[in-house]
Amino acid sequence: MNMTLTRFGFGNAAGFLSTLVMPVGILVLVAMMVLPLPAFLLDTFFITNILVSLLVLMVAMHTYRPLDFSSFPTLLLIATVLRLGLNVASTRIILGNGHEGTSAAGQVIEAFGAFVIAGNYAVGIFVFIILVIINLVVITKGAGRVSEVTARFTLDAMPGKQMAIDADLNAGVLSNEEAKLRREDIAKESEFYGAMDGASKFVKGDAIAGILILAINIIGGLIIGIAQHGMSFSSATESYILLSIGDGLVAQIPSLMLAIATAIIVTRVSTTEDMAAHIGKQVSLSRAWIPVSAVLLLIGFVPGMPNFMFLAAAAIAGLAGFLMRKREHGESELDGQQNSTTEALLDEDGKETPDQINLTDVTDNSAVSVQLGYGLIGMVDEATGGPLVNRITGIRKQVSKALGFVIPPVRVRDDMALKANEYRIRIGQTIVGEDQVYPDLKLAIPGDSTSVKIAGIEVKDPTFGMDAIWIDRHKEAEAESNGYVVVEPESVLATHISQIMYKFAHELIGQDDVKVLLDNLAHTSPSLVESVVPKLVPLHALTGILSELLAERVPISDLRKILETLANLAGRNLGIIESAEALRPGLAGLLIQQIAPLNQPLPVITLSSELEHMLISMSRQSNDGGLLLDSGLAERLIKSIAQASEKTSADGRQAVLVVSPQIRRQLSTIMRQHIDDLAVLGFTELPDSRKINVIATISGDAENKIEDK
């Protein structure tokens, strides 16, 4: 048996049964519409219908976000079919056996009909119609409209969200697994709201069907009872109207609960709390309850009003406001005590007094630091969910993995000398980056096809220098639908920090960091480390060589190959710069694989033979081996290379400049001053196994020609 279950994809008997329940249930629903049911079984199905509706409503109320109940549209369809099947089965019994009395269709229908009618058939009919109107006109129509609008905006926002995930992934804010999960969530979100847009029509159609079924039961019952069974009009009315209204109520009450569940799901905002906790937290404001109490108190003194009831309501609202205010003061005092405790510990440990200045006040030994204006403090406040610290940690991990050494921790602190939304990034004591971000807004970066301009604060993106606009958060969907990429403010700052780490990585590595790398390599290659450092290459020289490599973003993760190559170069008596250049051909593959995947050709920019020969001649004529370019030639050269690089970047690729090894280092130094992310390689550094695609050849004529290949 177990082998058979496994063969058909079921792990065990329990899995087989759980998988079998849904198909069998659907078949039972279809059978209910065709086969006659006894009254007892009909009662059982009606109670099951009420149970399912209550369960769905409770689950909807306790979900944290709509996607937590992604099976709701399918479940709504099944519940609607169950209700319609019961309506068909109950109609058959009412029209066939209604002449036997009010108990002919079971106890549930009789009880609901007798309770609502209470001796007055007109009242029962009107109550039923009011329930249908509430369900159809108010709840179902509103939920359907919300589903329609949400589905449209969710689909329009998908491209922008995907681009934002790609931006966070490239900046190191997200790992590949996290980016994959977010993409799956976006796809599920669009599918969910699209399904909800259609599923809400089920509830609407069910409410309309309820009215028609009620009319059929009453009219058909009276005709059958009087014409076929010879009942008097009064007895036929008593029997068939009670059964019809009872049947309608048994179906409409679960339908109403499912309509409420639908409205809750589509109007739900994703939070870390269920609906009750979410609403309770936001309405528990003393400054809202106390004015309510005052208004009720005034109404309670108006003559002719039910004074006692209004005064009682005022007292209850006032008591609630008092308790909430007391709780708010308690939380404020607790925060104050925590701050006082922190200050006391600082005074005790740091021995700070108003007339004393410590060395820590004027020095900062952190390798990387970020200073924030007071308006940006909330971005790092864990109590309010500030995500910046976690994002910086993710960036450090990503950059460390890419470059091959551990980036030092980043110190984040406030600086009251800065403007509210201003920040500064320091490497050591040197300011290497500064700009402004607006925590209450979002940065919209226009795409290539963007033609609509959105109102906001026009700025330059701090990382790439592109035109951008800080927009209000409620304009995000509009911006994404018009081709903008919308980025969170903390992502803007995090991406800037990531760029700074790559650019100044050569200043972040020190002898202590290199010693840690050597100690780690010594676990697997102890003889290699012992024979090279410090016997052949001193620690400070190795640090300088690694720094030279990192200055051009060459990863140093393969330290074993670096030491083996340095051991072979030991007899040539090379300096730090020459040693770094000699190491590059063996390490350039690590840089290239980060630029282009292995199965794709490497986009290459080259120089024309005339221009390259001219540059080599200039380098030979220089006494120190440098490259002194005429200002006009340098401007044309940089502009042409920048245009080719930007054109490739627009296609989602990154190009490299390949030149003769004699001028590679000098040209790289010039290019880094103007194009941060451009890698300059020598011909000898290109791996033989990699395919290349020459996308442009730069010539040095006056027209700045770029010859696309």
Side-chain angles (χ1 to χ4, degrees), residues 405-443:
F405 77 103
V406 178
I407 298 293
V410 179
R411 182 183 180 187
V412 182
R413 59 189 179 91
D414 63 317
D415 189 342
M416 302 307 293
L418 298 177
K419 297 179 181 178
N421 299 318
E422 190 176 4
Y423 69 88
R424 283 178 182 167
I425 305 174
R426 292 177 182 264
I427 299 295
Q429 298 298 314
T430 305
I431 300 174
V432 294
E434 61 181 355
D435 213 298
Q436 290 187 344
V437 296
Y438 298 85
D440 297 330
L441 306 178
K442 289 190 176 184
L443 187 67

Side-chain angles (χ1 to χ4, degrees), residues 85-378:
L86 287 173
N87 282 136
V88 173
S90 61
T91 297
R92 179 185 292 109
I93 293 179
I94 291 172
L95 297 181
N97 303 329
H99 63 281
E100 298 176 0
T102 57
S103 61
Q107 298 179 13
V108 175
I109 290 178
E110 182 183 17
F112 271 83
F115 178 77
V116 173
I117 291 176
N120 192 327
Y121 298 105
V123 172
I125 293 175
F126 290 140
V127 168
F128 176 80
I129 293 174
I130 290 173
L131 285 176
V132 173
I133 291 173
I134 292 173
N135 187 3
L136 181 62
V137 178
V138 180
I139 301 175
T140 304
K141 185 176 181 180
R145 180 58 179 165
V146 172
S147 298
E148 180 184 350
V149 173
T150 307
R152 188 180 69 216
F153 279 107
T154 301
L155 291 174
D156 290 343
M158 275 190 68
K161 291 181 178 179
Q162 293 283 9
M163 295 177 70
I165 291 174
D166 294 338
D168 286 347
L169 180 62
N170 295 333
V173 177
L174 297 176
S175 64
N176 290 330
E177 293 77 12
E178 292 172 335
K180 182 179 179 181
L181 290 176
R182 288 201 179 184
R183 290 191 184 100
E184 290 177 354
D185 279 347
I186 291 175
K188 289 179 181 178
E189 186 180 24
S190 63
E191 293 174 359
F192 174 77
Y193 284 112
M196 284 300 302
D197 185 23
S200 60
K201 305 296 188 298
F202 299 149
V203 182
K204 181 179 179 180
D206 185 31
I208 297 174
I211 297 177
L212 297 177
I213 291 172
L214 175 69
I216 291 171
N217 284 340
I218 293 176
I219 298 172
L222 291 176
I223 294 173
I224 292 173
I226 295 173
Q228 293 185 3
H229 300 289
M231 300 175 65
S232 64
F233 181 79
S234 61
S235 61
T237 301
E238 178 182 356
S239 178
Y240 285 104
I241 290 182
L242 185 143
L243 290 174
S244 300
I245 292 177
D247 177 48
L249 285 173
V250 171
Q252 280 304 310
I253 289 177
S255 176
L256 181 63
M257 288 188 288
L258 284 179
I260 295 173
T262 304
I264 290 174
I265 286 291
V266 298
T267 58
R268 188 81 168 91
V269 178
S270 298
T271 64
T272 56
E273 303 166 319
D274 59 27
M275 187 186 73
H278 189 205
I279 296 176
K281 183 178 180 180
Q282 295 190 351
V283 301
S284 298
L285 298 174
S286 61
R287 57 182 180 274
W289 282 86
I290 292 176
V292 169
S293 175
V295 172
L296 291 176
L297 184 64
L298 291 175
I299 297 176
F301 286 113
V302 175
M305 289 287 181
N307 305 101
F308 175 76
M309 297 182 67
F310 274 105
L311 292 176
I316 294 173
L319 179 62
F322 173 76
L323 295 176
M324 293 172 190
R325 189 174 184 83
K326 186 176 181 181
R327 187 193 65 185
E328 292 168 358
H329 279 299
E331 293 176 353
S332 300
E333 291 177 1
L334 180 61
D335 293 340
Q337 290 175 0
Q338 292 176 347
N339 293 336
S340 300
T341 303
T342 303
E343 294 175 359
L345 290 173
L346 184 61
D347 290 338
E348 180 180 352
D349 297 337
K351 300 290 189 261
E352 289 192 7
T353 58
D355 59 346
Q356 181 180 357
I357 300 178
N358 290 331
L359 186 61
T360 56
D361 295 329
V362 295
T363 59
D364 184 1
N365 295 323
S366 55
V368 186
S369 60
V370 179
Q371 299 169 287
L372 304 176
Y374 65 85
L376 305 180
I377 296 176

Side-chain angles (χ1 to χ4, degrees), residues 472-489:
D472 293 330
R473 290 182 175 268
H474 68 269
K475 295 182 179 179
E476 178 180 2
E478 177 188 354
E480 290 177 340
S481 63
N482 287 315
Y484 286 83
V485 177
V486 182
V487 186
E488 295 284 348

Side-chain angles (χ1 to χ4, degrees), residues 546-601:
L546 298 181
S547 178
E548 285 292 326
L549 293 172
L550 290 171
E552 299 191 52
R553 297 193 182 185
V554 177
I556 59 172
S557 51
D558 197 349
L559 188 59
R560 180 175 173 273
K561 179 183 287 188
I562 292 175
L563 294 186
E564 289 176 347
T565 306
L566 288 175
N568 296 330
L569 297 173
R572 296 170 57 179
N573 196 24
L574 300 177
I576 290 177
I577 296 177
E578 290 80 6
S579 297
E581 289 295 311
L583 285 169
R584 286 182 58 91
L587 302 175
L590 299 175
L591 174 61
I592 292 173
Q593 70 186 12
Q594 293 182 2
I595 296 174
L598 189 62
N599 58 352
Q600 295 182 7

